Amino acid sequence: ILIRPQIMLHVGFQLSYAAILGIVCLFPVLRNLLRIKNRLLRWLWEASLVSFSAQVFTAPLVIYYFHQIPVYSIFTSLITIPLLSVLISIFVISVPFMLIGVGTTFFNYLLVKLAGLMNSLVEVMASLPGAVLGELTLDTAKLCLWMGMLIAGMIWLHHRKHLLSYLVLLLLCLNLCSSSLTRYRYLRSSEMQISHFYTSTMLSFREGLQVDHYCWYRDSTSFSYMRSYIAERWNRRRFQSRIMLPMEGDENKGAVSACRQVTPGVWLVGNDPNKGWLISGSGALELARPVQANFVLLSGSPGLWNLPTGLLEDVDEEILDGSNPEWYSTHLEQIRADNSLTFKDYWTHQEWAYLKRW
């Protein structure tokens, strides 16, 4: 730390020291709660407590950086800790032999096989249903509150000072209030997400916990990817999702938005705060009256020569998905130059999914 202070910002450094802090501070307290005479049961009990103590302190950091937390990690530790101990022991024993060039192939083979076995077992545990609890969020302020509460709680467990107990309760109340405020703001917020799946397009509109998904797909494989993504990202545990297929009907009305096909290859989709055009064909479009749109989404390299100029004049942003080839951007630049249009492009296959919140 003295030589390289910036290392304190590295994720690995923070996780390592948080795990050690949990083992040093929490493990002795938990171990004394139960006395077990049987050596095997005592080893299982203490190994589980070591893993649990480390995870308690690393959980806020894992959620903050990776937005998920492993569920079966305590059981995984019961397998990996013995293997890791054997691995380290063999490595220490092999160092003198490797330095003199004796048995190098044997020790390398043994170490690689043991490491591969440990990784395989971890992958099997991670593939079990419910092994990972995802879609978790924690901002910097809440991270500081959680870590402060854990550290204050550990000091209180060792010294039993009333002032520390009040501090823990205060931090817990602040954390609960912050979480409630974040939840309240999220329920009152809205967002639009535009993403592509193997040359197919999906628009998602959310208000509170109500979500409408509009899927334009070119084959069943793309649609299956969309459904898998919706099940994972917009899972039923948190959201009430509706999947609609605008290609199969002229008009689709969801809980918080609607989609209407104006002409073949052209749809008007969204709601009052945020609506736009999705253009995937080159059919002519005649508007009886002007429609205020916030964006235009181009999919499948549509031709724009039959579209009225006024359609593109009032939009804030032009969005292109992954179904458009690279040469299409040059084509659009020429159209903007000919019609003096100033909106900017957003490519979902280069800049990830388009997301707008309000």
Side-chain angles (χ1 to χ4, degrees):
I1 297 175
L2 292 176
I3 297 173
R4 296 176 56 201
Q6 67 273 16
I7 199 175
M8 296 180 66
L9 301 177
H10 292 184
V11 180
F13 178 90
Q14 296 174 10
L15 289 173
S16 298
Y17 274 78
I20 295 300
L21 184 63
I23 293 172
V24 171
C25 297
L26 184 58
F27 171 69
V29 177
L30 297 178
R31 182 180 56 183
N32 294 330
L33 295 177
L34 184 63
R35 295 291 183 179
I36 300 177
K37 295 183 179 180
N38 185 277
R39 294 183 62 181
L40 178 60
L41 294 179
R42 185 169 65 249
W43 179 86
L44 291 173
W45 168 250
E46 292 183 355
S48 301
L49 290 182
V50 168
S51 177
F52 176 76
S53 302
Q55 289 170 41
V56 167
F57 271 77
T58 57
L61 291 169
V62 171
I63 296 174
Y64 178 76
Y65 286 111
F66 307 108
H67 310 293
Q68 62 182 10
I69 191 168
V71 179
Y72 305 145
S73 53
I74 293 180
F75 304 103
T76 307
S77 299
L78 296 178
I79 301 174
T80 56
I81 289 177
L83 282 176
L84 186 60
S85 301
V86 174
L87 193 68
I88 294 175
S89 301
I90 293 176
F91 172 75
V92 172
I93 295 173
S94 68
V95 169
F97 293 94
M98 289 185 176
L99 290 176
I100 61 177
V102 176
T104 302
T105 303
F106 169 75
F107 284 115
N108 282 340
Y109 177 81
L110 195 58
L111 291 171
V112 169
K113 288 299 181 181
L114 282 174
L117 175 62
M118 186 172 63
N119 290 337
S120 298
L121 292 173
V122 171
E123 290 177 358
V124 170
M125 295 293 292
S127 64
L128 295 177
V132 177
L133 184 62
E135 294 300 323
L136 303 176
T137 57
L138 199 66
D139 56 31
T140 305
K142 290 182 183 177
L143 174 65
C144 295
L145 285 174
W146 273 108
M147 296 306 296
M149 185 172 63
L150 288 173
I151 293 173
M154 290 304 99
I155 298 175
W156 175 79
L157 284 175
H158 286 275
H159 297 283
R160 303 289 180 173
K161 300 291 184 181
H162 291 295
L163 182 62
L164 290 173
S165 64
Y166 297 147
L167 177 60
V168 172
L169 291 176
L170 175 62
L171 292 174
L172 179 60
C173 291
L174 289 175
N175 210 329
L176 292 175
C177 291
S178 176
S179 299
S180 300
L181 180 61
T182 302
R183 179 70 171 175
Y184 174 76
R185 288 176 176 175
Y186 187 81
L187 290 175
R188 292 179 60 86
S189 67
S190 303
E191 69 179 84
M192 177 189 71
Q193 178 180 299
I194 300 176
S195 51
H196 77 274
F197 296 80
Y198 294 90
T199 72
S200 298
T201 302
M202 184 176 76
L203 276 76
S204 301
F205 293 88
R206 179 191 63 82
E207 287 188 6
L209 301 180
Q210 301 285 339
V211 189
D212 296 334
H213 304 282
Y214 300 96
C215 304
W216 286 265
Y217 62 94
R218 291 172 172 81
D219 52 60
S220 58
T221 303
S222 300
F223 186 54
S224 65
Y225 276 109
M226 290 182 181
R227 294 180 67 92
S228 300
Y229 173 75
I230 292 172
E232 181 179 353
R233 168 64 177 86
W234 306 95
N235 58 75
R236 294 181 180 179
R237 184 170 58 89
R238 297 182 57 192
F239 302 100
Q240 300 177 18
S241 298
R242 296 169 179 81
I243 300 177
M244 284 156 285
L245 310 175
M247 296 182 299
E248 299 180 0
D250 294 335
E251 186 167 358
N252 293 264
K253 186 172 179 58
V256 298
S257 60
C259 179
R260 176 170 58 90
Q261 186 176 30
V262 182
T263 194
V266 180
W267 289 266
L268 182 63
V269 57
N271 47 31
D272 289 335
N274 196 58
K275 67 175 61 174
W277 298 100
L278 185 143
I279 305 174
S280 64
S282 56
L285 174 63
E286 295 181 1
L287 298 178
R289 58 186 177 85
V291 177
Q292 182 68 34
N294 305 99
F295 68 92
V296 58
L297 171 62
L298 305 177
S299 178
S301 310
L304 304 178
W305 48 86
N306 288 329
L307 300 179
T309 306
L311 179 70
L312 303 176
E313 286 180 348
D314 298 326
V315 299
D316 300 326
E317 194 156 21
E318 180 181 63
I319 305 166
L320 300 95
D321 64 19
S323 62
N324 299 292
E326 294 294 336
W327 61 262
Y328 194 66
S329 61
T330 306
H331 171 65
L332 291 176
E333 290 177 1
Q334 185 62 42
I335 292 178
R336 284 200 298 269
D338 295 340
N339 296 278
S340 300
L341 302 175
T342 58
F343 54 77
K344 58 182 180 178
D345 289 341
Y346 186 98
W347 287 72
T348 60
H349 69 297
Q350 294 178 351
E351 306 172 75
W352 306 99
Y354 178 87
L355 180 63
K356 181 179 181 181
R357 290 194 176 101
W358 62 94

